[in-house]
Each structure stands twice: as structure tokens, then as C-alpha cells.
Amino acid sequence: MFNQIFVPFLVEENLLTADQAKEVLEQQKHARIRMGVLAVEEKMMKQDDVDYVNRLQASQNARFGDIAIDRGFLTKEQVEELLNKQPREHLVLKQIITDKGYLAGDKYDLALGTFKTSLAISYDDFELLQDKDIEAFMHIIGNIDNNDTILWEYVKMFINTTIRFIDREVRLGKAYSTKNAGFKHVVWQKSAGGGEEYTYVLATDDTRAACAFSAAYAKFPIDDMNEDGQDSFKEFLNCVGGLLTSDLENRGVKALTIDVPDYAGDHALAQPVTVVPITLPMGEFYITVLNPTTKPANKKRFLLVDDSKVARHLLRTTLEAAGHEILDEATNGLDGFDKYRALKPDIITLDVTMPILNGIECLKLILAADPNAVVIMVTSVGKESLVEEALEIGAKAVIAKPIDQNVVLERLGKLL
């Protein structure tokens, strides 16, 4: 993860071109740090001594470590220590950049020091970043509150799971708050128990990135965010929740459940949310967190009545994202009336045109049984006469199809 934030810094400072940055990041995936480079970095050997061992190695069929031990430059224990440190990616990066002649070693070290200064962090914290410590990235780079246990653990598990199943080249961005977040591809996850409750959103506006992400998890090609693409997107988040639940339970946090509802599709969140940007080679993604403290105090219980599954789905995702509860759904007016009497919701939405019993007829029955009922009519454009009739009978508001999430929340806000 360190290279994914340091290399863009080198580009910003005009020390690398964009093409050079892309090249070294790709090459470092498959490269391995040479022991001589690491020995100098760890101050176990001088550069002149490393050059001498390298010359001997070129003429002998022997490993660097064996020659260094034989010549007295390193002990066996030091060689073992260096072998354990060889995977350090930031040193691989330095090796590649200096080998290619893009930067001399001293200029690389100077840029590294400048980068550390720009972060305004301690030497120890900087070492943690270079060693890919995920919690250090979350706190220093992501600016995520580590006092919020469930949120902290969720983001950490998401990153770990992404590295494990999707791609290890993860770049974490700084978390930020926004009052209006809109996404093209979205899947939800809700936690319950273990203290605070949250709704988590995995989102992206890039269809190609969403397909690549879903394909990486599914292990088969996905060219469109159809049923297979959506299912894989959702199952990845389900995996994150399951792993987190298991991990926390192993550490004594009980009664925590995390569920994934149906795939949400296009969605806008008209409320304050926290967004954690995640950059992968395939594109930009976002973990969006809806804290219950941002949900409206006047939470309402809804019954949705519409013969269109799509319309019910859009209403459900919009209302749930705003913190409201969906008690049930019905596909015709008669079933809707029966469920209204049984469930007594705070608000019921009625499609105007439905089989068996249409919305106008159902509205009359509901108001006859409960004159204080709050009914919102949902209708297609072009049925103004039916809209006027519904409002005269006693409907409180009207929402036109196709359903716009922002319009739904605006209409609802006027009622609450």
C-alpha cells in the first residue's frame, strides 16, 4: 500500500513521469529486493562492500549472502534477518527506480524524507506505513477514527479481504463527509449488535471497474453488471461481513450480525455520510458508511404497495438509506389493505394502477378504516386526473414514476 501513495507523490513532485510511475508499479509486483540493497538500507554493509560482493558474485556460482559471510561482511544471523525483510515493497521500489536511472539513490532518499515531512508524522509511524501496517494507513492516511471499534474493524477487514481476494495493490484515500453521495453501482451491508449499528455501502461509478471487481471475486469473466455481476459484488461484501463477525466473536464481541440486502442499483444518499475512497488498479471504489447518528430522529415504518418489483425496490432502497423501516410489501390493493390493517404502518405508498384493487379504491378503504392514515400515491406521468382525485380523497403526497430518489426524499421531508 505504501508504494501506491508514495509513487503518486513522486509524480506530483515531477520526479517521475506518469508512464514511469505506471511502469515501476507494475514491475514491483514481480520484483524482489536484492540482498545487497537491503544490507545497505539496514546499515549492515557499506555500498563499496556491496559492490565488491556483487563483483565476486558475477564470477562465482554463489549467493550474495554466502559470499558476504565468507568475506566477513555479514554474520549468518544478519543474512537470515535480511532474508526475512526481503519482501519490503518500498525497498523493491527504490531498487527498480535507481536501476532504471530514473532517480539516483540519494535523490530517492531525499524525496522519501520530503514525503514523510509532508505527512507530519513520527519516524515510527512512517516505518509502520512502509511495512504496510493497515491500521497505520487507516489512521494516518485514511483519517478514520480508531475509537469507533466496529467501524474501524469493518474498514480494516474490507481492506484485508480486498487484498486477499481482489488485488493487493490497494490505495486508501482520506475519508471525508458529504451530504449528497451518488453512485452508479451499489451494494449494501447492515450491521446489528455489538454496540453501534451501521449501514455500509460498496460503490463505484465505473461500470468497467465494477465488472473487473466482480470477475476477480467470482473467478470467471464478467462483462456487464447483470445478475452474475451484481451477485458477485454482493457476495464479496457478504464475505467481508462474515469474516468480520467471526473475527470479532473470537475476540469476545458477541451478538453482532451483518447482512447484505438485495443489490441496490443506482442510488443517491441525501444525508450526511462518511466516504472512504479505495483505489485499485481496476478503478475507483468507495466504502460509504451511514452512521445511525445521521439518521432522522423521526424514523417511520412503511408499507409499500405496487405491482412493479422495480418500483418497490427503488422505494425500499431510498427509504432504508434515509433510515426508515420497511415493514412489508404488497403487489395489489387488496393485499395492501389487509397488510395495512395488520401492520398499522406510519406511512403507506400506493401505486395508482394495480390489479384486483387499484390504488384509488385501496385509498378509500384505508381512509374509511383509519381517517388519520398517511398515504403517498405513486403514479406514472400522464394520470393527472387520478392524482387530483387521490389528493381530494385524502392522500398526503404524490410521487411520479419513473421514481427519482431525491424527489422521494423531498416529498417525504415535507410530510415529516
Side-chain angles (χ1 to χ4, degrees):
M1 295 175 69
F2 179 80
N3 292 351
Q4 275 62 49
I5 59 171
F6 181 50
V7 170
F9 172 81
L10 294 177
V11 175
E12 291 171 4
E13 294 294 307
N14 296 317
L15 297 172
L16 288 182
T17 67
D19 288 342
Q20 289 171 340
K22 183 178 180 180
E23 179 186 6
V24 297
L25 282 175
E26 181 61 31
Q27 189 169 334
Q28 65 99 34
K29 294 179 183 180
H30 314 289
R32 185 175 177 84
I33 186 70
R34 291 194 300 271
M35 186 172 290
V37 174
L38 192 55
V40 172
E41 188 72 24
E42 296 296 317
K43 296 180 172 55
M44 293 182 184
M45 291 179 67
K46 296 179 180 180
Q47 185 61 54
D48 289 344
D49 296 333
V50 168
D51 293 340
Y52 173 68
V53 174
N54 284 336
R55 288 194 296 272
L56 291 177
Q57 190 180 14
S59 62
Q60 299 177 19
N61 184 22
R63 293 177 297 184
F64 182 96
D66 293 337
I67 296 174
I69 293 172
D70 183 61
R71 298 289 172 162
F73 293 117
L74 295 173
T75 65
K76 183 178 180 180
E77 291 73 23
Q78 286 176 316
V79 169
E80 289 178 354
E81 182 181 347
L82 293 174
L83 287 171
N84 289 330
K85 290 184 177 181
Q86 274 194 323
R88 299 185 77 179
E89 292 180 355
H90 68 286
L91 297 180
V92 176
L93 182 72
K94 178 180 180 180
Q95 175 180 288
I96 295 170
I97 289 176
T98 54
D99 281 355
K100 287 183 173 294
Y102 295 155
L103 280 177
D106 57 344
K107 289 188 176 180
Y108 180 96
D109 293 337
L110 180 61
L112 191 66
T114 304
F115 181 57
K116 174 185 173 299
T117 301
S118 72
L119 295 177
I121 60 176
S122 68
Y123 174 84
D124 289 341
D125 282 344
F126 195 63
E127 284 290 298
L128 289 174
L129 288 181
Q130 291 184 95
D131 286 334
K132 300 190 299 182
D133 184 281
I134 289 177
E135 293 195 359
F137 273 90
M138 290 168 57
H139 178 63
I140 298 167
I141 305 301
N143 196 32
I144 300 170
D145 184 5
N146 59 355
N147 292 316
D148 196 334
T149 305
I150 302 300
L151 172 60
W152 177 267
E153 295 295 337
Y154 185 91
V155 175
K156 183 170 70 173
M157 184 59 71
F158 184 96
I159 295 171
N160 276 322
T161 308
T162 300
I163 292 171
R164 179 181 175 187
F165 291 107
I166 307 299
D167 198 305
R168 67 188 181 94
E169 305 301 328
V170 178
R171 180 181 175 186
L172 180 67
K174 185 176 181 179
Y176 62 90
S177 297
T178 178
K179 293 184 178 179
N180 292 287
F183 307 108
K184 188 172 183 180
H185 302 288
V186 175
V187 65
W188 304 89
Q189 189 162 73
K190 294 187 176 182
S191 68
E196 292 286 358
E197 298 181 2
Y198 292 93
T199 297
Y200 308 98
V201 180
L202 169 57
T204 181
D205 289 322
D206 188 338
T207 299
R208 288 190 300 174
C211 290
F213 191 102
S214 296
Y217 185 68
K219 307 302 181 190
F220 59 78
I222 291 176
D223 298 321
D224 188 16
M225 288 305 285
N226 51 22
E227 184 176 352
D228 287 340
Q230 295 172 10
D231 185 63
S232 181
F233 214 48
K234 179 174 68 174
E235 283 306 306
F236 174 82
L237 212 61
N238 196 28
C239 176
V240 174
L243 290 171
L244 177 62
T245 301
S246 176
D247 183 58
L248 290 179
E249 285 185 350
N250 289 337
R251 288 186 277 155
V253 179
K254 303 295 184 183
L256 175 68
T257 60
I258 300 182
D259 299 318
V260 182
D262 289 337
Y263 182 81
D266 294 1
H267 200 70
L269 306 173
Q271 62 171 298
V273 295
T274 298
V275 178
V276 181
I278 300 287
T279 302
L280 294 166
M282 60 191 66
E284 301 286 337
F285 296 85
Y286 306 91
I287 310 173
T288 300
V289 187
L290 286 70
N291 188 314
T293 59
T294 69
K295 294 181 179 179
N298 52 353
K299 171 181 175 180
K300 298 298 180 182
R301 301 171 307 122
F302 279 79
L303 172 63
L304 310 180
V305 186
D306 199 308
D307 60 338
S308 167
K309 182 179 180 180
V310 172
R312 296 196 310 272
H313 181 73
L314 288 171
L315 283 171
R316 172 182 284 274
T317 54
T318 300
L319 294 169
E320 287 182 336
H324 301 291
E325 179 184 359
I326 308 303
L327 297 178
D328 204 348
E329 299 178 7
T331 58
N332 63 73
L334 183 59
D335 188 29
F337 176 62
D338 290 339
K339 287 184 176 181
Y340 181 87
R341 289 189 300 176
L343 299 173
K344 295 181 173 55
D346 298 315
I347 301 175
I348 180 172
T349 67
L350 290 178
D351 183 24
V352 170
T353 305
M354 291 185 292
I356 304 178
L357 195 69
N358 66 38
I360 299 295
E361 294 167 332
C362 182
L363 172 65
K364 292 177 180 178
L365 290 177
I366 288 173
L367 291 176
D370 179 8
N372 296 317
V374 178
V375 182
I376 297 177
M377 304 303 293
V378 182
T379 181
S380 300
V381 175
K383 298 183 178 179
E384 286 76 9
S385 60
L386 293 176
V387 169
E388 292 178 5
E389 182 181 358
L391 291 173
E392 289 175 0
I393 293 172
K396 302 298 183 183
V398 176
I399 297 171
K401 293 182 179 180
I403 292 172
D404 183 302
Q405 291 93 341
N406 292 323
V407 172
V408 172
L409 295 176
E410 178 190 355
R411 298 281 191 278
L412 188 59
K414 293 179 180 180
L415 289 178
L416 302 182

